[in-house]
Amino acid sequence: MSAGTPPSDRILVRGLRLWAHVGVLEQERLLGQWFELDLSLGFDLAAAGASDQLEHSLDYSRAITALQRLAGDLRCLTLEHFAERIFETLEQLYGPVPMALELRKCQAPVPGFSGIVAVQRSRHGG
């Protein structure tokens, strides 16, 4: 892989459910609600594949634990800000690796709407 080319290998975490106090309505921030997160971390996994050593990879359990903690502590209005804080948390753990996410609000408080609202974001070529 040449310098500057993002890795084609990815670690994926799908369907991470997070209880958070996020929403424009005061009741959403007060009571909290479920969100679901899919994330992708770009990283060259060849060394981990050859060595079978976790230190040659990105330990996804650290991300899951840190994001559960973030969700429990966070109070904000928008999915966009929640996603930004997720990126900040992942960067603290792994540095500026390519990353992408889809963050879904499982039950948007819109009368007559039973679907899902989401934001998709990426960073560092993710």
Side-chain angles (χ1 to χ4, degrees):
M1 180 171 19
S2 65
T5 303
S8 59
D9 296 343
R10 302 234 172 251
I11 293 175
L12 304 173
V13 176
R14 293 188 178 134
L16 175 58
R17 292 190 45 96
L18 300 167
W19 184 265
H21 297 263
V22 176
V24 173
L25 301 178
E26 183 178 350
Q27 181 175 338
E28 293 177 289
R29 293 187 310 279
L30 181 64
L31 300 177
Q33 61 191 303
W34 284 110
F35 294 82
E36 191 169 87
L37 175 67
D38 295 340
L39 63 95
S40 168
L41 302 168
F43 194 73
D44 186 347
L45 300 173
S51 71
D52 196 27
Q53 298 299 309
L54 184 57
E55 62 266 11
H56 294 146
S57 187
L58 302 178
D59 182 349
Y60 58 80
S61 71
R62 293 177 61 212
I64 292 168
T65 300
L67 295 174
Q68 289 170 329
R69 188 171 34 254
L70 168 69
D73 294 341
L74 185 67
R75 302 289 188 276
C76 67
L77 299 175
T78 65
L79 283 171
E80 295 84 350
H81 183 75
F82 191 4
E84 185 68 22
R85 296 292 306 277
I86 289 169
F87 281 146
E88 291 169 0
T89 300
L90 295 172
E91 287 174 336
Q92 288 173 0
L93 291 172
Y94 307 122
V97 300
M99 55 184 77
L101 64 76
E102 180 175 291
L103 179 61
R104 295 178 293 278
K105 180 183 277 194
C106 296
Q107 295 182 338
V110 179
F113 176 73
S114 61
I116 294 173
V117 175
V119 295
Q120 291 181 332
R121 297 196 56 203
S122 63
R123 188 172 282 181
H124 309 296

